[in-house]
Amino acid sequence: MNGMDEGSFEQQFGSDNYAGICPEAWQAMEAANRGHVTSYGDDPWTARAADAFRALFETACEVYFVFNGTAANSLALASLCQSYHSVICCDQAHVETDECGAPEFFSNGSKLLVAASAAGKLTPHAVRELATKRSDIHYPKARAVTITQPTETGRVYTLKELKALADECRRLGLLLHMDGARFANACASLGCSPAEMTWKSGVDVLCFGGAKNGMAMGEAVIFFDRALATDFDYRCKQARQLASKMRFLSAPWVGMLESGAWLRNAEHANRCAKQFAARVAGTPGIELAQPVEANAVFVEAPPDVLNKLHERGWSFYTFIGGAARFMFAWDSDPRRAEALANDLKECAAAALLA
Ligand SMILES: *Cc1c(COP(=O)(O)O)cnc(C)c1O
């Protein structure tokens, strides 16, 4: 169309945010684009999206729409903390490794206390250790815990694990935040309701990711304890997260939630990850670094195998622990994923012969 498709590429599995916008989100954007409505969130689309979240979570939660995940996490954590507080997270947490200090910046200095972890999961034991390490005036006071569901390495906390963490938080007087940049993938993986994975397990605040679920952009910040949301609208505005044409952030959620696309998209992505993992599992010379529980597959292979795969034109990252990460999205093409698996197997076989 008018040469406007010049920039499109063959599918790659470097990240789940390489994908475009799914039809349900796109159609809702288009519907929202017909005519005028009031600005700054005082519009029917935003009200309807917030109601759709309340229906999905089966509770009267407070819902806010922001542009991206870094903003969602940072502002949610800032709303739980004073500047002299601390937030417990795991060493692989996005808030620690990939947000450029935004959680500390937006909370005016609340310190992240980082727990070493094996599989990117926090444990009640690690939380207790960090929270009780010091209680003197010279150390920031532990106030909140943040977990990523699914984790940065595609692992999923079970409901039992979530409950155990939340119980420990309650005992220690800590609030529990969930970074759900891929929340839908975790729901699809556990086959549980969004309510069960959050407030029914003891989560106080959730950041629900839209971009990796099939939207252009946008994350929802959901407060199950509504008292914690006090003045959150002002915090969003001050942080430049109040969209004047809010309907274009909120309408896609209406499309995603009312149609069920949020879950179908995640199920498709998870299925592609499982299929890809099954194709490459058992190949001599390579190993799956993690069990595949959501939409990520981490492959351990010698550097020359990964270099050869890059040379064949495949993009992927090795920034988490050195393994090659492949991410699957709402529109991942199973045949393209099969081609990747075949290339990976050929590169591994060639390296063994060399
Ligand atoms: C992608 C991602 C985010 C959000 O990142 P933004 O680029 O700021 O939208 C947050 N947490 C995790 C675990 C992510 O993978």
Side-chain angles (χ1 to χ4, degrees), residues 194-216:
E196 284 172 312
M197 215 167 73
T198 54
W199 62 273
K200 286 187 179 174
S201 294
V203 172
D204 297 297
V205 189
L206 166 71
C207 297
F208 190 136
K212 291 167 184 156
N213 194 209
M215 287 169 40

Side-chain angles (χ1 to χ4, degrees), residues 49 217 224 231 281 321 328 335 344:
M217 70 190 78
F224 300 107
D231 293 344
F328 298 86
R335 281 164 311 179
L344 178 56

